Amino acid sequence: RRGQRLVCRSGCLWLSYAGEDIVLQAGDSHLAEFDQQLLCEALQNSSLVLQTPLAKPALAAAKYSKPTWANLWKPHHGS
């Protein structure tokens, strides 16, 4: 969604958005400027936060044990 920000908390993420390939390292972020789908893949063990304009910064977080296309926004459970 337009106005949402994806923040890479750890690891490395590859994004495909609006015809661009974007790589985020820990601490980097990307702000969605258009209402287009965003594809995200973890290139290594990573965690991310999806921020919305009207919500607190830690609204949605996901942690991946390995890179995956499936279950993109399902949080990792367990330690």
Side-chain angles (χ1 to χ4, degrees):
R1 269 190 154 171
R2 191 165 134 224
Q4 289 182 316
R5 180 177 299 276
L6 190 144
V7 181
C8 180
R9 299 294 299 264
S10 65
C12 184
L13 302 171
W14 168 76
L15 312 178
S16 181
Y17 175 72
E20 290 185 58
D21 288 325
I22 303 157
V23 176
L24 300 181
Q25 301 287 337
D28 293 343
S29 68
H30 179 75
L31 178 65
E33 298 177 2
F34 309 102
D35 283 326
Q36 293 185 3
Q37 288 185 343
L38 180 142
L39 176 67
C40 177
E41 181 176 357
L43 299 177
Q44 62 189 56
N45 289 344
S46 303
S47 64
L48 63 89
V49 174
L50 181 62
Q51 299 175 341
T52 60
L54 302 176
K56 294 182 181 181
L59 175 66
K63 184 174 181 177
Y64 301 96
S65 58
K66 63 180 181 178
T68 179
W69 290 90
N71 302 323
L72 181 61
W73 295 112
K74 291 183 182 178
H76 178 270
H77 295 287
S79 45

